[in-house]
Amino acid sequence: APAAGTGRRSRSLLSAPNPFRTAKLLQDSGYSKLQAYGLLSVLYLGVFLMEVLMLYFGSQFFGQGSGGGADDGGEEIFEEF
């Protein structure tokens, strides 16, 4: 029976997950509705904060190279004119 369920609808790893389906699966596993949505909210918030931190540290790391100097030099050029 599980093979028929998976063959019925093939899910791509690149497809967007359905958070409501995930919450339903958590509720089926014994979580309350509040716990399921709370857990998903914490996970989504954690992933979002990690992405923002990676962007911040990436811009700091790569900004110290030619990118940061070029930006500052570009501002100075505009100030001279």
Side-chain angles (χ1 to χ4, degrees):
T6 56
R8 177 175 47 115
R9 180 177 174 185
S10 178
R11 292 179 53 93
S12 169
L13 289 176
L14 301 177
S15 66
N18 184 351
F20 300 107
R21 181 176 183 273
T22 306
K24 177 74 171 94
L25 290 172
L26 285 170
Q27 289 176 39
D28 292 344
S29 298
Y31 287 88
S32 71
K33 190 171 186 176
L34 182 65
Q35 287 174 327
Y37 282 104
L39 179 61
L40 283 177
S41 299
V42 167
L43 289 174
Y44 275 95
L45 184 63
V47 168
F48 176 75
L49 291 176
M50 284 184 61
E51 291 173 348
V52 169
L53 282 174
M54 286 191 299
L55 282 172
Y56 173 75
F57 286 116
S59 68
Q60 293 296 313
F61 178 74
F62 292 112
Q64 290 178 0
S66 61
D71 290 342
D72 293 339
E75 291 173 8
E76 291 174 5
I77 290 173
F78 289 123
E79 290 174 3
E80 290 175 5
F81 289 121

